[in-house]
């Protein structure tokens, strides 16, 4: 094996010698150290072998042989930890993945923004309301959302609580995905009541019925369906933005098999658009862990910057190691993305290109709520596919913010959520999410694009 081009000086704590954006002002250094020590002594949440399995799967996506569905909350909430919430979050992703697999005949790699997505970067460190100014809400891993001084004070014990919530969430996800719930014979059960009655819910039922028929056909041909694990279990991975580096460092462990370091807080970690500075602490941290990693890239990114990201995060050119998540905006994607994709292609880099059609399409509605238009989201994904089609590269996946619930946060879709209706059920802690209906509708849109791509 060729020697690794990674710097040998990396340690889980070496990010501390670099400038770290977006870190909370914890105030009490002793309380922070107590929390981090507690985390260092707790067991890992995921295992190195699982992170390696995801990297191998993403390697297939880098070769155009699988499609990534990365989806979930913008910001998970400490107040939403119930079996039903976890089951429903899984259901919508399983449903979407059935739609995509059925349309394209490609394996879908399922990666939830779940079990750790508790920290948010903010454009303003302070929020002003009337004549009071308080620290901005940075996610439940850091502080509370209520606008009062006590809630907004960063509390290091929240890091420990985030770990325990992630642990409970993962425990149930593992039970659901390996214990029968994700069995392909249960495909009808993943349709939720309020979605089932909608046009896309009925369209989903048609696919579910076709899968039933296919399974009966195979059984009738004498194929032993009972013993085939792939029909009864799914691989479901977790990811979050590696933002609060003390938390990520404390959960980084050396794998006993390989001696390599893995951040065992999730299978995949990414750097956000606000924390991907060259030479900054976030890239330094991600450069040394052996998990698959990702980085957001917005419309201002230059080809040179993106190639530098590849060098920093994937010096060994390992397929599946690096995903680049383009978040350009519907109006910019067709101009801003091609030079980046072309530069990466011409450098012979095997990255997975993923489309985040959410974060470049956010604006304020007439009543001041952050929202996104369903049609802009679809338009950005269409632009993303068109760019890859023109350059002969693979549109490797999508990165979505969604909830299984019947919320009114994004405009449009078949139930035509209108501007004046956003406050009917606007519940997000941070960015506007697609609701269950909109998510399934989007899966059908993406399925059509992917099918056209496969048949081209
Ligand atoms: C996010 O994914 O929630 C986010 C903050 O994205 P970005 O870094 O692309 O703005
Ligand atoms: Co977001």
């Amino acid at each position: 094996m060729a020697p690794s081009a990674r710097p040998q000086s990396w340690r889980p704590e070496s990010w501390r010698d670099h400038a770290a954006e977006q870190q909370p002002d914890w105030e009490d250094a002793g309380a922070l150290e107590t929390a981090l020590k507690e985390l260092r002594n707790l067991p890992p949440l995921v295992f190195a072998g699982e992170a390696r399995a995801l990297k191998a799967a993403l390697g297939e996506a880098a070769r155009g042989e699988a499609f990534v569905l990365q989806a979930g909350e913008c910001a998970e909430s400490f107040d939403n930890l119930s079996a039903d919430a976890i089951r429903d979050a899984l259901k919508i992703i399983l449903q979407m993945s059935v739609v995509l697999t059925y349309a394209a005949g490609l394996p879908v790699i399922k990666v939830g923004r779940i079990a750790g997505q508790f920290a948010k970067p903010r454009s303003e460190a302070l929020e002003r309301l009337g004549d009071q100014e308080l620290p901005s809400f940075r996610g439940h891993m850091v502080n509370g959302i209520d606008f009062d001084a006590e809630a907004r004070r960063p509390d290091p014990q929240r890091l420990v609580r985030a770990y325990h919530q992630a642990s409970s969430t993962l425990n149930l996800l593992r039970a659901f995905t390996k214990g029968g719930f994700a069995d392909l014979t249960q495909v009808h059960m993943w349709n939720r009541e309020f979605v089932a009655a909608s046009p896309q819910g009925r369209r989903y039922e048609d696919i579910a019925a076709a899968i039933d028929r296919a399974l009966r056909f195979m059984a009738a041909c004498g194929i032993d369906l009972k013993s085939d694990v792939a029909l009864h279990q799914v691989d479901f991975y977790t990811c979050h933005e590696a933002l609060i580096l003390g938390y990520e460092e404390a959960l980084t462990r050396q794998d006993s098999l390989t001696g390599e370091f893995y951040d065992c807080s999730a299978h995949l970690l990414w750097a956000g658009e606000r924390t991907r500075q060259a030479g900054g602490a976030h890239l330094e941290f991600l450069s040394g862990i052996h998990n698959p990693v990702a980085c957001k890239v917005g419309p201002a990114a230059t080809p040179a910057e993106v190639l530098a990201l590849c060098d920093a995060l994937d010096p060994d050119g390992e397929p599946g190691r690096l995903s680049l998540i383009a978040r350009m905006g519907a109006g910019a994607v067709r101009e801003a993305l091609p030079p980046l994709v072309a530069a990466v292609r011409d450098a012979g880099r095997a990255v997975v290109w993923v489309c985040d059609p959410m974060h470049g399409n956010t604006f304020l509605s007439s009543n001041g709520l952050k929202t996104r238009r369903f049609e802009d989201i679809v338009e950005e994904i269409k632009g993303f596919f068109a760019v890859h089609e023109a350059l002969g590269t693979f549109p490797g996946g999508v990165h979505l913010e969604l909830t299984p619930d019947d919320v009114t946060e994004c405009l449009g879709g078949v139930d035509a959520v209108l501007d004046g209706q956003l406050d009917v059920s606007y519940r997000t802690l941070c960015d506007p999410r697609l609701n269950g209906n909109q998510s399934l509708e989007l899966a059908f849109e993406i399925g059509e694009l992917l099918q056209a791509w496969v048949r081209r």
Side-chain angles (χ1 to χ4, degrees), residues 27-42:
E27 291 174 24
D28 182 346
L32 176 61
E33 190 39 43
T34 304
L36 295 178
K37 186 167 175 223
E38 209 173 327
L39 288 173
R40 284 195 291 271
N41 290 325
L42 286 164

Side-chain angles (χ1 to χ4, degrees), residues 56-68 104-109 319-320 349-353 388 392-397 450 453-456:
L58 291 169
E60 289 172 19
R63 288 193 297 274
E65 292 162 9
F67 189 77
V68 182
L106 280 180
V108 172
I109 304 166
R349 288 276 179 185
V351 307
V352 184
W353 279 103
H388 285 284
T393 45
F394 180 55
L450 204 51
W453 195 90
V454 169
R455 287 184 179 161
R456 84 202 176 286

Side-chain angles (χ1 to χ4, degrees), residues 74-75 113 120 359 372 401 430-431:
C74 178
R113 283 178 63 123
K120 298 311 300 172
H359 290 89
R372 293 159 175 159
E401 287 184 343
C430 191
D431 290 337

Side-chain angles (χ1 to χ4, degrees), residues 109-407:
I109 304 166
K110 296 165 272 296
V111 193
R113 283 178 63 123
I114 194 167
Q117 178 54 29
F118 294 112
K120 298 311 300 172
R122 301 314 300 259
S123 13
E124 305 294 336
L126 296 173
E127 183 180 341
R128 171 170 278 283
L129 208 66
D131 54 8
Q132 204 184 7
E133 209 166 54
L134 292 174
S136 294
F137 171 61
R138 288 185 179 274
H140 274 166
M141 184 188 274
V142 176
N143 58 4
I145 198 165
D146 291 347
F147 194 78
D148 67 66
E150 188 41 35
R152 288 295 172 90
R153 196 177 51 80
D155 174 3
Q157 274 305 311
R158 284 179 172 270
L159 298 170
V160 179
R161 181 148 174 215
Y163 168 93
H164 288 296
Q165 176 145 342
S167 164
S168 306
T169 304
L170 261 167
N171 181 48
L172 206 55
L173 284 172
R174 290 184 196 282
F176 281 140
T177 52
K178 303 294 176 190
F181 182 80
D183 195 302
L184 209 48
T185 58
Q186 304 291 307
V187 69
H188 294 279
M189 294 246 312
W190 307 338
N191 218 350
R192 294 189 70 202
E193 304 73 51
F194 84 91
V195 174
S198 68
Q200 56 275 22
R202 290 195 297 272
R203 206 170 155 192
Y204 173 80
E205 275 304 322
D206 290 344
I207 295 182
I211 291 172
D212 279 348
R213 282 196 301 277
L215 291 174
R216 280 201 303 275
F217 173 78
M218 287 193 288
C221 294
I223 297 170
D224 179 9
L225 302 180
K226 283 203 185 65
S227 64
D228 194 335
V229 173
L231 296 175
H232 306 295
Q233 300 187 356
V234 299
D235 291 327
F236 185 87
Y237 299 99
T238 61
C239 68
H240 61 259
E241 178 171 352
L243 187 69
I244 308 298
L245 293 173
Y247 178 83
E248 305 303 337
E249 175 195 329
L251 288 169
T252 296
R253 308 294 158 82
Q254 198 163 14
D255 173 35
S256 54
L257 280 180
T258 60
E260 297 165 343
F261 284 100
Y262 284 83
D263 181 350
C264 297
S265 71
H267 301 105
L268 178 145
L269 288 308
W270 80 84
E273 174 70 354
R274 293 169 193 76
T275 51
R276 59 172 177 83
Q277 298 79 13
H282 291 83
L283 292 198
E284 168 63 18
F285 177 75
L286 291 179
S287 74
I289 57 171
H290 281 73
N291 307 57
V293 298
C295 188
K296 296 282 197 95
V297 281
T302 64
E305 244 172 72
V306 171
L307 291 179
L309 277 175
C310 294
D311 289 341
L313 294 176
D314 181 28
D316 296 332
E318 198 186 347
R321 156 71 178 171
L322 177 62
S323 301
L324 292 172
I325 307 172
R327 31 91 84 219
M328 300 291 165
V333 63
R334 288 170 196 260
E335 270 79 59
L337 186 58
L340 309 182
V341 174
V344 170
R345 177 198 63 187
D346 296 345
R349 288 276 179 185
V351 307
V352 184
W353 279 103
V354 175
C355 174
D356 167 356
M358 316 298 293
H359 290 89
N361 293 313
T362 317
F363 64 97
L364 286 185
S365 74
S366 57
N367 49 1
L369 294 169
K370 267 205 264 182
T371 190
R372 293 159 175 159
R373 283 191 199 91
F374 185 81
E375 64 201 49
D376 292 343
I377 292 168
V378 172
E379 187 49 38
E380 179 157 355
I381 299 175
K382 285 186 177 163
F384 175 81
F385 271 78
V387 167
H388 285 284
E389 166 97 62
L391 292 172
T393 45
F394 180 55
V398 288
H399 182 115
L400 306 171
E401 287 184 343
L402 53 80
T403 168
D405 299 336
D406 195 7
V407 301

